[in-house]
Amino acid sequence: IFIATGTFGFALGPAISSQITERFGLEKLPFACIIGIIAAFILLKNTPKLSNLNIEKPKASITEAIKKIFSNKPVFILVIASIVKSFVVSSFSVILPFYWKNIGFKVSSIGTVLLIFMLAGACGILLSPVIEKKIGIKNVFYLSLLSVLPLGIIFYFSNGKGIIGLTSFVLIGFVSFLAVPVNMALAQKLMPDFKSMISGFIGGFSWGIIGLILPVLSLLAEKTGMMNILLAMTFIPAIFAYFIKYLPDETV
């Protein structure tokens, strides 16, 4: 629920910013930060101090924890799986708005489509535990990683337009987020002494790595074509799916 509602909040970003930009102009967009300031104030007033909570001291230093995490093969695979998922989501949500703007989409329409894309991802997160109980944790990963490729091919040949193109785009959002909760839960289960560190790697480190790659990806998109680079991105999850067989056969 925590991850899903965070994704929902993230989904509101492009929808709200596009509406503000289209109605009042780009120069008024900074006023949107008022929402963040209010949220920060609420957190400041209501979040308890760590010193007041009964929290166990770390059992290892940060360096030792990182070494143990990356030396654990299944956990390392889970971290890479999180990076691959973030790669697909970021590629589509960052590059596509420019493509759609070039072919005549309104700014508000682009914001709405991105909202639906992320909402589909939030639905995937909420349904993930239910699906995992029915088909098993490995099959959730296979479904999430392998289905991106055919959906990406459909999106490519539809030129990202029409019902078929937009539906495939939304489904990419759904399946890309589908394995997020089981990814996090399994990683924490495999390394219970480093749950907080694992959460940081799965939930934050992966997005940071993609942030470093995006400028290069954007340059390639300019050189080779936006749709071509997005199609290439959909092959990465399908190829990485091979390594899921090395995950343990257990439930979370």
Side-chain angles (χ1 to χ4, degrees):
I1 292 174
F2 178 81
I3 299 173
T5 51
T7 304
F8 173 73
F10 189 72
L12 292 177
I16 293 174
S17 61
S18 62
Q19 289 293 333
I20 293 174
T21 301
E22 191 163 277
R23 293 173 182 269
F24 306 106
L26 189 62
E27 66 277 3
K28 297 295 191 298
L29 188 57
F31 286 103
C33 71
I34 293 173
I35 301 172
I37 294 172
I38 294 172
F41 179 77
I42 294 172
L43 287 171
L44 181 65
K45 291 295 183 182
N46 294 280
T47 303
K49 294 182 179 180
L50 292 178
S51 57
N52 296 336
L53 302 176
N54 185 22
I55 299 177
E56 294 183 6
K57 293 183 179 180
K59 297 182 179 181
S61 66
I62 293 178
T63 304
E64 291 173 331
I66 292 174
K67 287 182 179 179
K68 289 185 178 182
I69 289 172
F70 281 97
S71 62
N72 187 310
K73 185 175 180 179
V75 174
F76 181 71
I77 291 173
L78 292 172
V79 172
I80 301 301
S82 180
I83 293 175
V84 169
K85 178 270 299 179
S86 303
F87 201 16
V88 173
V89 173
S90 297
S91 299
F92 275 82
S93 59
V94 171
I95 293 176
L96 270 177
F98 295 98
Y99 171 76
W100 281 327
K101 188 70 171 64
N102 288 342
I103 63 175
F105 276 42
K106 291 183 178 179
V107 173
S108 58
S109 299
I110 296 172
T112 300
V113 174
L114 290 176
L115 168 65
I116 298 172
F117 174 78
M118 297 303 295
L119 287 179
C123 291
I125 291 170
L126 289 173
L127 291 174
S128 179
V130 177
I131 297 174
E132 185 266 332
K133 289 179 180 179
K134 293 183 179 295
I135 67 175
I137 189 168
K138 282 188 177 181
N139 288 328
V140 172
F141 277 104
Y142 284 129
L143 177 61
S144 178
L145 294 167
L146 292 174
S147 56
V148 172
L149 179 56
L151 290 171
I153 292 173
I154 294 171
F155 183 79
Y156 178 83
F157 284 104
S158 66
N159 292 316
K161 298 183 291 184
I163 297 298
I164 295 177
L166 295 180
T167 300
S168 60
F169 173 66
V170 171
L171 289 176
I172 288 172
F174 176 82
V175 298
S176 294
F177 282 96
L178 190 60
V180 171
V182 294
N183 191 332
M184 179 76 76
L186 181 58
Q188 290 182 337
K189 186 176 181 179
L190 292 174
M191 300 199 74
D193 292 339
F194 303 104
K195 286 186 176 181
S196 297
M197 183 72 75
I198 286 294
S199 299
F201 272 100
I202 301 296
F205 175 77
S206 59
W207 290 99
I209 291 294
I210 299 307
L212 296 174
I213 297 174
L214 278 177
V216 178
L217 189 67
S218 300
L219 180 62
L220 290 174
E222 288 183 359
K223 299 293 184 181
T224 63
M226 297 182 192
M227 292 295 284
N228 291 333
I229 202 69
L230 289 176
L231 178 62
M233 293 304 100
T234 62
F235 281 85
I236 296 176
I239 295 171
F240 178 77
Y242 168 82
F243 298 97
I244 298 302
K245 69 178 184 178
Y246 295 109
L247 295 178
D249 292 306
E250 55 182 297
T251 59
V252 293

